[in-house]
Amino acid sequence: MPTLNWIGKEAVEKHHKEVPFRLLEPVEALSCGDADSGNLIVQGDNLDALKALLPRYAGKVKCIYIDPPYNTGNEGWVYNDNVNSPEIKKWLGEVVGKEGETLDRHDRWLCMMYPRLLLLKQFLKDDGVIFVSIDDTEVGSLRLLMDEIFGTGNFIANFVWEKRKNRENRKVISMRHDYIICYGKNKFDAIKTFNQLPMNAEALARYVNIDNDPRGLWKSDPATAQSGHGTKSQFYTLTAPNGKKHEPPSGRCWIYTEEVMNEAIKDNRIFFGKTGNNVPRVKTYLDDKERGLTPESILFAKDVSTNEEAKKSLKEMFDGKTPFETPKPMELIHHLITISTSKDSIIMDSFAGSGSTAHAVLKLNSEDNGNRKFIIIEMDKNIAKNVTAERVKKAVNGYTSLKGKKTEGLGGGFQYFNLSSEPLFKADGPIRSDVTFEQLAEFVWFMETGTGLNESDLKSIDKKDSTPYLGQYKDRAIFLLYNDILKDKSDAGGNVLNGRTLDLLEEALPDFEGQRIVYGARTRFDKTKLARLNITFHQLPYELAVKTWF
C-alpha cells in the first residue's frame, strides 16, 4: 500500500499520546434548553478537546462529519500544535499561505490532520463512519492519509457534491464540486447499517398501473442481465403471449430461467407494452419494494443545497449579517446523517464552524422523533460563543427574520463547555485538587479498556457510598480507591488498598474469579499477596499519567 511521507511525520505520529487530558468546564450562561439533552458544544483547540472527550465517548460515536481547512491559502489557518520538533516549532503562529508563498504548506496540513484523525478514529463504534469534506487541493493526500489510518479496506465512498449551481466564468475551469470522503471503522459492519433515503415525488411518479393490475402500482425494469453473471439456463428464445419471439441482446441474458420466466408471464408479471409487441420488462410493484432509495455518490444541489444557499440561510438567522463566511449547508449534513445513523446515534464534528452539524441533528430528530445527540467542537472563542452556540440556540428556540418570517424551534438543547487551562495531571505528577471521583473514574476506565464508561454506570457512581467498583470489562473488574481530592492517604481515607478496602472489593463482586484492576494512592500488600489475590495494583497518579492503550 502506498503511504505518504512529509516533513514532520515522525514527530506527529505519536503526538496524540503527548496531548494532556483536560477537563470540560460547563458554562451555564452559554448553555441552552434541556441540560440533560446530551448535546455538547465545546470551545477549545480540537486536539485538546478530543483528548478530553475520549474517556467518556471512545467507541460510542456512530457518525463523524468534519470540514477541515481545505488548505487553499485563503482560510488564514495557523499551525499551532505543541509538537516537540524543531522543524515544526518554526511554523507556530504563521498563517499558511497559497502555493508558492508557503512552500511546506502541504506538510503543515498533514501534520495538523494526522493526530486529529487518529483520535477521531478512537471515537467511532465498530459500525461507525466518518465523512470528511475536501476539495482538489488536498483530496489526493487525504485519501492516502485515511488509507493509512483507517485502512484501505475501510474506504466506503467518495461523494461528489455539487456545491454551486452557477458557472464561474472568471476561471479557466468552473469548479462546481467538492468531495466528501467516507470511511468506516469497520466497513462491513458500517455498510450493514446504512439507510435508504425516503421515496421522493419523482421516484413515486415512476409507478403506474396502466393495465389495472390488482397488485397495484408498478414500474417496469429490464428483464435482462449481463451475460457474465448468467448461467446456460438463462439463454433461450422467449415467446410472448402473442407468439412473438424475443432474444436477449448481445452480451445480455434473461434474468430468469425459461421455466421461471414462463410462470412470471402467466402471472402477468412481465410487461410487453400496450400492444404486446415491445421488449419484455419485469414489473416491480411498489407494495413489494422497501419504500426507499439507495443513496448515490453524486449529491446534487437540488437535494442537499449549496454553499451560497447555506450563507443565505445563516444571514436570515442573524438579522441579515454574515457571521461566518464558509458555512456548509445544513441540508448536506442532514443527508449524510440520514443515511448513516439511527435514532439514538451520537454525531460528532470537531471543526464545528457555524454549527451546521448540530442544526442538522436537531432537524432530523424533529422529523423522525429521534434522540440523536451531537458533540461539536469549535476552536475560535468568538465564533463558538457568538456564531456556533447562537445559531444552535436559534434552531432550538426558533427565530424571526428581519422580513418577519417566523421559524419554529426544533426543541432540544445543549451544554456549553470550555476546556480547563490546567490538565488533569500537573507537570510534577499530582492530580489536580478539583478533580472529582466521576471525572477520574472516566479516565481510569478509558485507560484500562479503550472505551467510554457507560452513562448508566456514571449515574450509578455515588461518592457518598464510597464504592470503589467502576464496572466489569471482559475478564477484568476495575476499581478506583479515591476520595475526591486524594488529600487523605491514611488507611482510613479510602485511597489505600488495605484490609478494609479489600473487603469492599470482595463485597462488590463476591463470586468474581477474574482479574481485579485497582487504582489507588498506595497498597499495604506486597506483590506476592497481590498476585495470590489476582489483583493488579496501579499507583495514582504517576502510573495513570503515563499509561496509554492506543
Side-chain angles (χ1 to χ4, degrees):
M1 180 187 78
T3 58
L4 281 171
N5 195 19
W6 65 87
I7 297 171
K9 181 176 183 179
E10 286 188 13
V12 299
E13 282 181 313
K14 296 184 179 179
H15 179 57
H16 62 289
K17 296 183 179 182
E18 300 164 359
V19 177
F21 286 90
R22 299 181 185 275
L23 300 177
L24 297 176
E25 298 177 339
V27 183
E28 287 188 22
L30 297 178
S31 300
C32 168
D34 182 5
D36 295 323
S37 66
N39 297 320
L40 311 182
I41 296 178
V42 181
Q43 189 277 311
D45 182 272
N46 53 16
L47 196 58
D48 289 325
L50 289 172
K51 198 70 179 281
L53 289 161
L54 261 182
R56 180 171 293 192
Y57 294 102
K60 294 184 177 180
V61 174
K62 182 65 175 73
C63 172
I64 296 171
Y65 170 79
I66 59 172
D67 181 23
Y70 284 9
N71 206 21
T72 61
N74 297 320
E75 299 103 335
W77 76 275
V78 177
Y79 184 88
N80 271 329
D81 291 350
N82 187 25
V83 180
N84 187 22
S85 165
E87 59 193 0
I88 290 179
K89 284 186 180 296
K90 65 183 181 182
W91 297 343
L92 300 180
E94 291 183 3
V95 175
V96 178
K98 297 180 180 180
E99 200 77 51
E101 297 176 357
T102 306
L103 299 180
D104 52 12
R105 58 198 284 263
H106 300 289
D107 304 276
R108 299 188 193 197
W109 188 84
L110 288 163
C111 282
M112 181 272 293
M113 290 295 293
Y114 190 90
R116 287 162 175 80
L117 287 172
L118 276 175
L119 286 182
L120 286 168
K121 182 181 178 183
Q122 313 305 323
F123 284 94
L124 287 176
K125 299 173 64 177
D126 286 340
D127 61 1
V129 294
I130 179 170
F131 298 96
V132 185
S133 280
I134 202 69
D135 75 356
D136 285 304
T137 308
E138 295 290 2
V139 66
S141 297
L142 179 63
R143 277 295 303 271
L144 287 172
L145 191 62
M146 295 189 74
D147 279 347
E148 186 171 332
I149 294 172
F150 289 88
T152 55
N154 290 315
F155 169 73
I156 293 175
N158 182 3
F159 293 89
V160 178
W161 165 48
E162 185 186 17
K163 66 178 180 180
R164 60 187 300 160
K165 294 179 181 178
N166 57 314
R167 188 187 304 270
E168 195 173 11
N169 290 315
R170 294 172 298 172
K171 300 285 183 74
V172 176
I173 302 293
S174 178
M175 304 301 293
R176 291 175 54 187
H177 71 277
D178 277 353
Y179 303 101
I180 301 172
I181 309 296
C182 178
Y183 281 72
K185 177 76 171 285
N186 183 314
K187 175 180 178 177
F188 296 105
D189 288 338
I191 59 178
K192 291 176 187 174
T193 66
F194 266 67
N195 305 309
Q196 289 191 313
L197 293 165
M199 293 278 277
N200 55 31
E202 183 183 345
L204 288 170
R206 298 192 187 108
Y207 289 85
V208 295
N209 193 359
I210 58 178
D211 62 349
N212 296 316
D213 192 315
R215 285 166 290 226
L217 296 172
W218 54 269
K219 68 182 180 74
S220 70
D221 290 316
T224 60
Q226 290 184 358
S227 58
H229 300 292
T231 63
K232 281 185 177 181
S233 61
Q234 290 171 260
F235 293 89
Y236 53 87
T237 300
L238 185 154
T239 304
N242 65 1
K244 185 174 180 178
K245 306 293 184 183
H246 296 273
E247 301 288 345
S250 177
R252 308 283 291 180
C253 64
W254 300 116
I255 61 169
Y256 302 141
T257 64
E258 188 170 11
E259 182 181 355
V260 173
M261 181 67 82
N262 287 333
E263 285 296 321
I265 292 171
K266 190 182 298 184
D267 198 26
N268 192 29
R269 290 179 179 270
I270 305 297
F271 185 60
F272 293 89
K274 292 180 179 180
T275 64
N277 291 314
N278 292 3
V279 172
R281 292 178 66 84
V282 176
K283 288 182 177 181
T284 300
Y285 294 92
L286 184 59
D287 287 343
D288 290 347
K289 184 178 173 62
E290 290 184 21
R291 299 219 178 175
L293 300 172
T294 300
E296 293 186 296
S297 60
I298 299 179
L299 306 176
F300 293 103
K302 64 182 178 64
D303 299 318
V304 297
S305 195
T306 64
N307 278 335
E308 191 61 33
E309 289 300 320
K311 210 167 178 179
K312 287 180 183 177
S313 296
L314 198 60
K315 283 179 69 174
E316 190 175 275
M317 295 181 79
F318 284 83
D319 298 330
K321 300 171 186 173
T322 305
F324 194 80
E325 286 297 326
T326 56
K328 284 294 184 290
M330 181 270 290
E331 295 84 355
L332 173 67
I333 305 170
H334 180 283
H335 176 90
L336 299 176
I337 61 178
T338 296
I339 66 176
S340 64
T341 72
S342 59
K343 290 184 178 183
D344 59 352
S345 294
I346 297 175
I347 294 93
M348 175 176 274
D349 182 350
S350 57
F351 293 85
S354 69
S356 297
T357 297
H359 196 165
V361 171
L362 294 171
K363 183 76 164 66
L364 187 55
N365 280 345
S366 73
E367 291 169 354
D368 67 2
N369 199 31
N371 190 34
R372 297 170 189 82
K373 298 174 175 61
F374 62 77
I375 303 167
I376 63 173
I377 303 164
E378 173 52 41
M379 180 177 70
D380 188 286
K381 187 174 183 179
N382 178 57
I383 291 174
K385 176 183 175 181
N386 297 313
V387 182
T388 317
E390 192 61 30
R391 188 247 184 99
V392 182
K393 280 182 185 177
K394 290 174 182 288
V396 168
N397 297 323
Y399 61 94
T400 303
S401 71
L402 279 177
K403 295 180 179 180
K405 180 184 174 183
K406 187 174 182 180
T407 300
E408 295 295 329
L410 300 172
F414 63 86
Q415 282 189 294
Y416 188 101
F417 292 89
N418 289 328
L419 288 175
S420 64
S421 56
E422 293 293 328
L424 178 62
F425 297 100
K426 293 183 179 178
D428 56 354
I431 297 173
R432 285 177 46 170
S433 62
D434 57 346
V435 173
T436 66
F437 181 87
E438 289 92 336
Q439 289 169 328
L440 195 56
E442 287 183 345
F443 185 82
V444 166
W445 183 268
F446 169 69
M447 281 303 177
E448 279 299 327
T449 69
T451 65
L453 192 58
N454 289 330
E455 199 168 330
S456 57
D457 293 329
L458 273 172
K459 289 179 179 178
S460 68
I461 292 174
D462 188 345
K463 294 174 292 183
K464 295 177 183 177
D465 291 341
S466 300
T467 174
Y469 177 58
L470 302 186
Q472 188 174 333
Y473 183 78
K474 296 182 179 178
D475 60 346
R476 288 172 285 164
I478 301 168
F479 299 85
L480 172 62
L481 301 174
Y482 180 76
N483 66 335
D484 284 354
I485 55 175
L486 208 61
K487 286 180 179 177
D488 182 1
K489 296 184 180 181
S490 68
D491 283 3
N495 300 315
V496 178
L497 182 58
N498 54 21
R500 183 178 70 85
T501 51
L502 182 61
D503 287 341
L504 290 175
L505 269 60
E506 294 289 348
E507 289 171 11
L509 289 175
D511 301 319
F512 183 70
E513 296 181 357
Q515 187 181 28
R516 288 177 168 86
I517 309 294
V518 182
Y519 283 83
R522 59 190 176 90
T523 177
R524 294 181 62 85
F525 301 120
D526 59 28
K527 290 183 179 180
T528 303
K529 186 166 185 180
L530 288 173
R532 197 163 58 244
L533 296 169
N534 203 10
I535 291 174
T536 298
F537 182 80
H538 294 297
Q539 185 172 350
L540 288 168
Y542 177 73
E543 289 192 40
L544 191 60
V546 299
K547 185 178 174 63
T548 184
W549 71 276
F550 64 97

